[in-house]
Amino acid sequence: MSNRRAFLKFLAASPLLGALPSGVPGFAQALGQGGDFVISNPGEALNVFEFEAAARKVLPPAHWGYMASGVDNDESLQANLQGYSHYQVRARRLVDVSRIDMSTTLFGTTWETPILMSPVGSCNVLNPGGEVAVAKAAASKKTLQIVSTQASYPIEDITSARGGPVWFQLYTTNKWAATEHMLKRAQAAGCPVVAITVDTPAGRNTETQSRFRRLDTRDCASCHTGNNGGSPPKPMFSGIDMTGVGLTSPSLTWDFVKRVKDATTMKVVLKGIETREDAQLCVEHGVDGIIVSNHGGRAHSSGRATIDCLPEVVQAVGGRIPVIVDGGVRRGTDVYKALALGASAVGIGRPYLWGLASFGQPGVERVLDILRRELNLIMGQCGTPSLKDIGAASIVRV
Ligand SMILES: Cc1cc2nc3c(=O)[nH]c(=O)nc-3n(C[C@H](O)[C@H](O)[C@H](O)COP(=O)(O)O)c2cc1C
């Protein structure tokens, strides 16, 4: 440890530091807090990274690995994080920023901030409160929550804890009857929007997750009782004959989108779009919105940051439908950069999971507060008091 401290001290004083890429996640944090400090309550956190260390401390290796994992060598996960350092912010001066308005409107609902919580499965392995604790935080912070097909609590319990609608994320499955059942259930629970995740048709190689699982000495079979040692069926599958049902379908095509649109009154959003070609097809097929996403680097090893995919999608869509982006958002400044590139809203995954794992609902609340405060700050610093003031001229690519 003392060697590490000495090394960090050396680096801090070294001209080498200037040569390192800015925005490398974790680096400034390690220097700033001496590396081994871990917060003991949400109020102590200065930034969202501090929840990561707190979560690492409380989670068993396999569950930590589940959350932290990307695919292959985690290239896409790293790319998402580092992608934000490809953009610099251009600040304007002498603008009245005494009132900052961060609000954005999606499908007729106005949100206080453009920051939403992306869907995450099996939240109960991070904290027993799971998605219900997240819903309570979403309610107290008036934040949009998207609930996964793989949620560990029934959608009805989550909407009731939220005290209002959430969006439903759909894994397509390979059996239409199962899909239809879930669509009906989500609609009946009051979800106004279904986000169909389309980025994992062919399976994936979550190596980091497997490595951490090997370190876990607990008896995983006592919880993972489902087929092939996997997880037990999730509440969203209750009442469905699961014989032969896979979570996703390798034969997924645009016909499926039409089928969903015909089967529901919910708005249909596609999650996992990365290219202008697919963005154009979304518009042609009547899709109501897009989430530019690579599943937080958990889908395939593209090595491409979602923030770098965003401009071509925004350009292809041409303002006809909202474009949301997620992946690697860790600072209010990241949110700002995404807005400048044309995002209508920005999703976070792991930051709220770190908050959930370490402190439950109050942890999630604090993560949302921190990001909100940081966005407010950068908007004021840059002379852009409302979202409409943030545009192409607000950033520059380096
Ligand atoms: C542990 C974990 C589980 C996830 N589960 C789902 C899921 O069930 N459905 C889905 O569409 N995306 C899922 N995602 C992807 C997130 O919705 C989101 O795209 C991603 O976390 C954003 O990247 P970030 O974690 O860097 O913020 C999951 C992500 C993580 C980290």
Side-chain angles (χ1 to χ4, degrees):
M1 186 53 69
S2 64
N3 281 349
R4 184 154 184 267
R5 281 220 183 90
F7 174 66
L8 289 171
K9 233 169 130 184
F10 160 76
L11 266 186
S14 164
L16 258 181
L17 189 57
L20 286 169
S22 62
V24 175
F27 186 71
Q29 290 71 33
L31 278 179
Q33 60 195 38
D36 51 358
F37 174 81
V38 180
I39 54 170
S40 52
N41 67 68
E44 280 184 335
L46 299 174
N47 55 50
V48 303
F49 298 101
E50 294 195 320
F51 287 96
E52 185 176 14
R56 179 83 180 88
K57 200 171 153 188
V58 297
L59 287 176
H63 292 179
W64 169 260
Y66 161 65
M67 176 176 63
S69 188
V71 286
D72 291 0
N73 296 327
D74 300 333
E75 293 93 345
S76 307
L77 172 64
Q78 290 304 324
N80 280 350
L81 294 164
Q82 288 175 359
Y84 283 94
S85 65
H86 303 157
Y87 298 89
Q88 292 175 347
V89 171
R90 298 180 70 244
R92 297 295 308 276
R93 308 297 186 208
L94 304 172
V95 178
D96 181 358
V97 290
S98 51
R99 220 187 134 263
I100 301 287
D101 175 9
M102 294 183 282
S103 66
T104 192
T105 301
L106 292 169
F107 305 123
T109 302
T110 299
W111 300 93
E112 285 181 8
T113 81
I115 301 164
L116 60 87
M117 291 190 278
S118 290
V120 166
S122 307
C123 284
N124 64 335
V125 306
L126 306 174
N127 178 283
E131 295 81 2
V132 164
V134 175
K136 288 179 182 166
S140 77
K141 298 299 163 187
K142 301 193 184 87
T143 297
L144 172 59
Q145 175 187 11
I146 309 181
V147 173
S148 167
T149 295
Q150 290 280 75
S152 44
Y153 281 88
I155 186 97
E156 297 79 8
D157 293 5
I158 298 168
T159 47
S160 145
R162 174 66 180 83
V166 299
W167 292 8
F168 175 62
Q169 175 268 324
L170 178 76
Y171 275 126
T172 55
T173 82
N174 54 355
K175 185 171 165 185
W176 177 252
T179 306
E180 207 176 18
H181 188 282
M182 289 194 285
L183 285 173
K184 287 210 168 90
R185 190 168 158 194
Q187 191 171 309
C191 299
V193 177
V194 55
I196 312 174
T197 297
V198 294
D199 58 15
T200 44
R204 55 204 180 121
N205 180 31
T206 51
E207 242 175 68
T208 297
Q209 176 173 344
S210 303
R211 267 198 304 279
F212 274 99
R213 192 179 291 158
R214 287 196 304 220
L215 300 176
D216 212 311
T217 52
R218 297 165 313 141
D219 174 17
C220 297
S222 62
C223 297
H224 292 259
T225 52
N227 296 338
N228 307 319
S231 302
K234 294 290 191 287
M236 206 60 208
F237 294 116
S238 100
I240 300 176
D241 174 8
M242 291 296 285
T243 319
V245 175
L247 203 57
T248 57
S249 166
S251 58
L252 192 71
T253 63
W254 291 96
D255 293 342
F256 180 87
V257 175
K258 175 166 176 7
R259 229 171 161 188
V260 171
K261 280 189 68 73
D262 290 345
T264 183
T265 57
M266 292 184 281
K267 297 280 185 198
V268 175
V269 166
L270 293 200
K271 176 172 184 281
I273 298 297
E274 294 178 290
T275 60
R276 69 171 66 79
E277 294 89 337
D278 285 341
Q280 182 60 40
L281 286 167
C282 281
V283 175
E284 285 169 21
H285 286 85
V287 167
D288 299 295
I290 288 176
I291 305 181
V292 174
S293 175
N294 57 20
H295 222 107
R298 299 159 79 83
H300 66 297
S301 205
S302 64
R304 192 164 178 236
T306 49
I307 191 69
D308 289 331
C309 302
L310 179 64
E312 64 177 86
V313 171
V314 166
Q315 196 203 13
V317 161
R320 287 171 287 182
I321 54 175
V323 178
I324 298 166
V325 65
D326 75 12
V329 175
R330 304 290 182 263
R331 286 282 189 188
T333 308
D334 299 339
V335 177
Y336 188 87
K337 290 173 181 176
L339 295 170
L341 289 172
S344 308
V346 175
I348 55 165
R350 292 180 186 84
Y352 84 82
L353 301 182
W354 299 332
L356 175 69
S358 47
F359 303 107
Q361 179 190 340
V364 179
E365 288 172 346
R366 179 78 176 140
V367 163
L368 293 172
D369 277 344
I370 288 174
L371 290 174
R372 177 187 293 230
R373 189 199 65 206
E374 288 180 355
L375 176 60
N376 188 295
L377 203 56
I378 188 81
M379 286 175 69
Q381 287 163 338
C382 292
T384 45
S386 77
L387 263 50
K388 71 173 166 25
D389 301 311
I390 306 171
S394 307
I395 55 165
V396 59
R397 194 179 155 91
V398 286

